Amino acid sequence: MEERLAQIRGGGPPRRHNARTIAALTGNPGCTRRAVLDSAGADKPALAERLGFPARFGQSRFAITRGNAFEAQVKADGGAELLRLVAERLGVPVPEGATWTDLGADDDRPERSRAALTASGDGPALFDHPLLGLDVAGTRVHLEPDLVAARLAGRFHVVEIKSFPVIDGQADPGKVAAAAIQSAVYVLALRELLAAEGRDPELVSHEVVLVCPRDFANQPLASLLDVRRQLLVLRRQLARMARVEDLLAVVPAGFTVDPAADPATLAAALHEVPARYAPDCLAACELAYFCRHEARGQTGALGRPVREALGGVEEVADVLALAEGSAAPEPEQAEAAALLRAAARLRADALAGQTA
């Protein structure tokens, strides 16, 4: 299987999963194309560039530099300021003698992370850069989160440090939602780690501490995010995902997305693996603009609610034909066809009334 996955991505080193990619993957579990490419560790940004449909999301170099500076500020002095922020937000006294452990310093990160996070002690501690694992499509993937796990009063709280500002007490809802689902990935991975060692997974709180700059300054502000709903969605979507072996069974022999290949060859190869495009993909998947171009004329391009309301009618031309009554519906399309004809009659009556 590893040889097949290497053939798919073109033989280069695989790109690692992170919380953002898992959140995007579980947000659209019906997309076989993304599941195959992510399982193979394909370089989707390079692939999108080669196809002529580069991704249009991501942080600028300035934003990345600003974010790194803010994170360094919050973590300075062994996390003293971070510990104070977390304790105050949780409503507990700032503990004395808290330890700071950077788990990203050595090569043996999986074992060091497991040992540190599952140790029997319950004293106050901060763990930076832990390496966590999660099963995705039947394959164990390692997450390299740039986060801190804070242990206070015997419980763990995932701490996310983000550079987007909180202005007058309000942050960008879309960015907060993205931070919540990504944090839920870390909470789930940390709970599974504790459960595997025979410890209570509920020691990991469902309340995540989000640290952002206040207003237009670099003064850090901590907020609590309840990610119980995101955890439910994440578990359900991970359970629904097909295993890698099953995904590869529907991929044509010789399929590859090596970015060095000819763009026409790459496009033809991708057409052979079904995608499930929706407008939401534009904010989460590097291949979204290619898939949107491919999906022109399909109901999925209008959004998931439209596609679902039309009962599986995939082509816009078929929808119009069913509404006009010029095409006979398939048995599974009968209900959608009746609704479309009713909608067409209502539209015609409304237009006739306007004309009169």
Side-chain angles (χ1 to χ4, degrees), residues 133-135 140 187-197 201 238:
L134 200 62
D135 288 327
R140 191 70 174 174
V187 171
L188 181 60
L190 187 51
R191 284 184 173 183
E192 290 191 358
L193 174 63
L194 293 185
E197 295 297 317
L238 285 173

Side-chain angles (χ1 to χ4, degrees), residues 3 8 30 70 81 99 103 118 137 155 177 196 205 221 230 242 251 279-280 290 315:
E3 292 179 1
I8 289 174
F70 177 69
E81 174 68 4
T99 60
L103 296 168
T118 61
R155 297 199 76 193
S205 175
L221 173 69
Q230 289 82 2
V251 174
D280 296 348
F290 171 80
E315 300 293 332

Side-chain angles (χ1 to χ4, degrees), residues 248-264:
L248 294 181
V250 301
V251 174
F255 172 77
T256 181
V257 290
D258 187 345
D262 177 75

Side-chain angles (χ1 to χ4, degrees), residues 7 9 37 40-41 73 84-85 130 137 169 173 193 219 238 265 275 283 286-287 313 323 333 350:
Q7 178 192 27
R9 67 176 175 265
L37 297 185
Q73 172 191 334
R84 183 190 66 78
L85 286 168
L193 174 63
Q219 180 183 2
L238 285 173
T265 302
E286 294 84 349
L287 284 177
V313 184
Q333 299 173 346

Side-chain angles (χ1 to χ4, degrees), residues 35-312:
V36 169
L37 297 185
D38 280 355
S39 297
D43 189 345
K44 295 197 300 295
L47 180 59
E49 289 277 356
R50 185 66 169 162
L51 290 165
F53 294 91
R56 303 178 194 176
F57 63 87
Q59 288 185 311
S60 67
R61 188 173 302 175
F62 172 75
I64 293 173
T65 301
R66 182 185 61 196
N68 290 339
F70 177 69
E71 181 183 331
Q73 172 191 334
V74 172
K75 292 181 178 179
D77 299 324
E81 174 68 4
L82 181 60
L83 183 65
R84 183 190 66 78
L85 286 168
V86 173
E88 289 183 356
R89 178 49 57 192
L90 295 176
V92 300
V94 180
E96 298 289 340
T99 60
W100 171 275
T101 305
D102 189 345
L103 296 168
D106 294 340
D107 294 334
D108 192 19
R109 289 180 63 194
E111 180 57 29
R112 287 194 72 226
S113 297
R114 185 199 62 77
L117 293 169
T118 61
S120 58
D122 58 0
L126 297 172
F127 302 94
D128 195 13
H129 301 107
L131 188 68
L132 305 174
L134 200 62
D135 288 327
V136 179
T139 300
R140 191 70 174 174
V141 300
H142 292 288
L143 307 173
E144 297 192 57
D146 189 15
L147 64 80
V148 176
R151 188 176 64 201
L152 294 177
R155 297 199 76 193
F156 283 99
H157 290 267
V158 166
V159 182
E160 275 275 21
I161 303 173
K162 296 293 187 181
S163 60
F164 58 81
V166 178
I167 301 173
D168 293 332
Q170 299 292 324
D172 184 312
K175 293 180 179 179
V176 173
I181 187 63
Q182 291 172 26
S183 299
V185 174
Y186 298 141
V187 171
L188 181 60
L190 187 51
R191 284 184 173 183
E192 290 191 358
L193 174 63
L194 293 185
E197 295 297 317
R199 302 199 63 191
D200 183 3
E202 294 303 318
L203 289 174
V204 183
S205 175
H206 59 265
E207 290 187 317
V208 171
V209 181
L210 178 65
V211 179
C212 299
R214 185 200 303 268
D215 297 328
F216 297 100
N218 266 351
Q219 180 183 2
L221 173 69
S223 307
L224 286 182
L225 291 179
D226 188 330
V227 299
R228 279 178 290 187
R229 182 179 64 83
Q230 289 82 2
L231 281 168
L232 289 173
V233 172
L234 183 63
R235 288 194 183 97
R236 183 173 68 250
Q237 300 295 54
L238 285 173
R240 290 176 56 193
M241 290 177 61
R243 296 178 61 85
V244 175
E245 296 88 342
D246 298 330
L247 290 171
L248 294 181
V250 301
V251 174
F255 172 77
T256 181
V257 290
D258 187 345
D262 177 75
T265 302
L266 289 173
L270 287 174
H271 291 325
E272 295 181 342
V273 179
R276 191 174 176 83
Y277 171 78
D280 296 348
C281 298
L282 295 174
C285 183
E286 294 84 349
L287 284 177
Y289 285 92
F290 171 80
C291 296
R292 183 179 69 170
H293 178 77
E294 180 187 51
R296 285 182 177 176
Q298 297 179 0
T299 57
L302 304 176
R304 292 190 184 94
V306 174
R307 177 169 53 199
E308 292 168 1
L310 292 173

